[in-house]
């Protein structure tokens, strides 16, 4: 075992992205009241720890599938045992929930429900296809929502609703793409994704229609309060990488490329909402 293997197991780049989502949610909700540093850092910590635990427990239950789809992953490759991974997941979940105690009661409830949802997804729901996709999209969007919840002002919900919705929508699309990418292993293990039930080509058509719709509605936040930085990042990063995802061939290989592009789109979206909420750049 090695430090690198553990970083691969928790998917550290995704964990950082989730924590950034919480930071963005807090700053958007608080109108950049960065003096509330305790709540800001705690929300990012809770989200990061629980997200990491979710990735680890997912790999614990996915070991047979990963032997086909991703044999290089830490568990199927033998660099980390299932028992070690399961113990790590429990620790990450426990510390994440404990850290939420210093926020508020609603933050504790959301943290607990998210842990339950992630374990249920890894153990059962992932094999149901669309229902599993919806749960992953919900828990990912909750990263942003959680940052706003940590601030918890009178009007935090109205400010965080739009970025939370966009995160849900983009993540749902990315999950369908991942289902296409993992088609062979999922089919061999009776996992009912859209790709294994409808076929790769039809699943791709759904993905491209959803992404096209997302592109159409993406400028809306600029017209309802987000500043010009939002639209600049949209044009420079979000739109190009989303288009790159759309133009991929309707194949498993195309899904692998699209998944990488959509990660960049997601990060660009977080940055766009974050900087687009800066109050002193509004007209």
């Amino acid at each position: 075992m090695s430090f690198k293997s553990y970083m691969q197991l928790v998917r550290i780049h995704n964990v950082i992205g989730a924590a950034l989502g919480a930071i963005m949610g807090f700053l958007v909700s608080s109108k950049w009241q960065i003096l509330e540093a305790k709540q800001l850092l705690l929300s990012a910590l809770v989200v990061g720890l629980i997200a990491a635990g979710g990735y680890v427990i997912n790999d614990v239950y996915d070991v047979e599938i990963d032997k086909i789809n991703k044999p290089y992953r830490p568990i199927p490759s033998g660099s980390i045992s299932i028992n070690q991974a399961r113990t790590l997941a429990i620790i990450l979940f426990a510390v994440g929930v404990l850290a939420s105690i210093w926020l508020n009661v609603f933050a504790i409830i959301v943290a607990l429900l998210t842990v339950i949802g992630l374990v249920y997804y890894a153990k059962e729901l992932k094999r149901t296809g669309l229902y599993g996709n919806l749960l992953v999209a919900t828990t990912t969007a909750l990263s942003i929502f959680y940052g706003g919840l940590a601030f918890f002002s009178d009007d935090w919900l109205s400010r965080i609703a739009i970025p939370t919705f966009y995160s849900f929508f983009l993540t749902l699309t990315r999950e369908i793409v991942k289902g296409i990418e993992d088609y062979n292993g999922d089919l061999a293990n009776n996992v009912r994704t859209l790709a294994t039930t409808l076929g790769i080509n039809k699943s791709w058509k759904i993905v491209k229609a959803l992404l096209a719709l997302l592109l159409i509605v993406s400028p809306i936040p600029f017209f309802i309060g987000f500043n010009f930085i939002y639209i600049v990042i949209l044009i420079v990063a979000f739109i190009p990488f989303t288009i790159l995802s759309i133009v991929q061939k309707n194949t498993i290989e195309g899904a692998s490329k699209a998944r990488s592009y959509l990660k960049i789109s997601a990060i660009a979206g977080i940055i766009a909402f974050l900087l687009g909420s800066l109050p002193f750049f509004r007209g």
Side-chain angles (χ1 to χ4, degrees):
M1 90 187 60
S2 67
F3 179 75
K4 181 179 179 181
S5 294
Y6 278 105
M7 292 300 98
Q8 290 175 338
L9 183 64
V10 302
R11 293 172 178 79
I12 189 63
H13 53 289
N14 288 350
V15 169
I16 292 172
L20 287 175
I23 291 171
M24 182 267 279
F26 185 95
L27 292 176
V28 169
S29 298
S30 68
K31 298 180 182 178
W32 282 77
Q33 292 184 28
I34 56 177
L35 294 178
E36 303 286 348
K38 177 184 174 182
Q39 290 92 328
L40 173 64
L41 295 176
L42 274 174
S43 64
L45 179 64
V46 172
V47 166
L49 288 169
I50 292 177
Y55 289 123
V56 175
I57 202 66
N58 186 68
D59 277 13
V60 168
Y61 285 103
D62 265 6
V63 62
E64 294 303 321
I65 296 174
D66 285 345
K67 285 179 181 178
I68 299 172
N69 288 333
K70 300 170 184 175
Y72 54 85
R73 295 288 303 162
I75 298 177
S77 68
S79 59
I80 295 176
S81 72
I82 290 180
N83 286 337
Q84 288 171 331
R86 187 180 288 110
T87 299
L88 177 62
I90 293 171
I91 292 172
L92 291 168
F93 283 145
V95 176
V97 172
L98 285 173
S100 70
I101 293 174
W102 282 273
L103 290 171
N104 55 61
V105 66
F106 300 107
I108 299 170
I109 293 170
V110 171
L112 281 169
L113 290 176
T114 302
V115 168
I116 294 169
L118 289 172
V119 174
Y120 179 53
Y121 167 79
K123 190 175 181 180
E124 301 285 347
L125 203 60
K126 182 177 182 178
R127 297 177 179 273
T128 66
L130 183 59
Y131 295 114
N133 296 156
L134 289 169
L135 181 61
V136 170
T138 299
T139 55
T140 301
L142 279 175
S143 298
I144 297 171
F145 179 86
Y146 200 84
L149 185 63
F151 180 71
F152 204 73
S153 65
D154 292 337
D155 58 348
W156 70 274
L157 187 57
S158 62
R159 291 198 292 274
I160 204 62
I162 293 174
T164 299
F165 168 78
Y166 274 77
S167 175
F168 173 86
F169 200 91
L170 186 60
T171 304
L172 177 61
T173 307
R174 196 175 75 226
E175 284 300 302
I176 298 173
V177 169
K178 285 171 64 179
I180 298 172
E181 183 185 11
D182 292 343
Y183 176 81
N184 291 322
D186 289 344
L187 189 64
N189 287 272
N190 299 314
V191 179
R192 294 178 57 81
T193 64
L194 285 184
T196 59
T197 55
L198 298 181
I200 291 175
N201 193 53
K202 286 184 179 179
S203 298
W204 257 117
K205 288 180 180 179
I206 293 172
V207 165
K208 292 183 178 183
L210 291 173
L211 289 177
L213 178 61
L214 188 60
L215 284 177
I216 292 171
V217 302
S218 60
I220 292 176
F222 174 70
F223 296 104
I224 58 176
F226 286 85
N227 63 46
F228 74 93
I229 300 178
Y230 171 85
I231 207 71
V232 169
I233 297 174
L234 203 71
I235 294 170
V236 171
F238 180 83
I239 291 177
F241 283 101
T242 303
I243 291 175
L244 281 172
S245 301
I246 293 174
V247 300
Q248 294 302 311
K249 293 180 180 179
N250 294 5
T251 62
I252 293 175
E253 293 74 17
S256 182
K257 293 179 181 178
R259 182 174 60 85
S260 298
Y261 291 139
L262 288 174
K263 278 187 179 181
I264 299 174
S265 294
I267 293 172
I270 289 174
I271 296 172
F273 279 115
L274 179 61
L275 299 183
S277 66
L278 282 166
F280 43 85
F281 278 107
R282 294 192 185 116

